[in-house]
Amino acid sequence: QVQLVESGGGLVQAGGSLRLSCAASGRAFSNYAMGWFRQAPGREREFVAAISRTAPRILYADSVKGRFTISRDNAKNTVYLQMNSLKPEDTAVYYCAAAATNTIATIRDEYDFWGQGTQVTVSS
């Protein structure tokens, strides 16, 4: 089992920045690829960003490319999502997830463990 706890969400004006953190406990964090997803009201949960276990490969959704940065610190068992130039359409609950894969995962069903989510609201 891996337990994931997100933090760092909140209310920000358009153009602002937030940094989300996801702290992991349980099995070795470095064994998991990590990802961020988001879900807006009435919409499906969608992929945002993913990072592989080590020597990291990174992928982003087109909608956040150039604005968001995913990173991980295996020594701190934490994955981050730096979000810059936020837009109202970024408003959603953001979830981190862990996937027991040697590569990188962008599909929701590839992920084995999920956090409880943190709300991000971007006002116009």
Side-chain angles (χ1 to χ4, degrees):
Q1 285 283 351
V2 175
Q3 292 78 43
L4 302 171
V5 179
E6 302 96 335
S7 61
L11 173 64
V12 64
Q13 289 188 332
S17 298
L18 283 175
R19 189 194 196 201
L20 304 184
S21 299
C22 174
S25 60
R27 294 186 177 180
F29 176 72
S30 60
N31 287 344
Y32 292 86
M34 300 298 295
W36 287 96
F37 288 72
R38 66 187 181 186
Q39 188 167 17
R43 300 187 65 178
E44 294 289 320
R45 191 171 300 187
E46 63 175 6
F47 168 74
V48 174
I51 186 168
S52 59
R53 290 168 24 177
T54 56
R57 292 180 59 203
I58 292 174
L59 291 173
Y60 296 100
D62 288 343
S63 58
V64 307
K65 203 172 293 182
R67 300 187 298 123
F68 290 11
T69 302
I70 187 172
S71 62
R72 67 189 295 163
D73 186 336
N74 287 344
K76 294 183 178 180
N77 291 352
T78 302
V79 62
Y80 305 97
L81 185 68
Q82 177 67 44
M83 306 187 294
N84 298 330
S85 302
L86 282 161
K87 304 174 181 180
E89 50 264 44
D90 295 318
T91 295
V93 177
Y94 283 71
Y95 299 88
C96 75
T101 176
N102 291 327
T103 59
I104 193 168
T106 61
I107 307 300
R108 181 177 172 179
D109 289 346
E110 294 179 286
Y111 284 84
D112 304 288
F113 302 102
W114 293 83
Q116 82 291 346
T118 185
Q119 176 70 47
V120 171
T121 303
V122 184
S123 63
S124 56

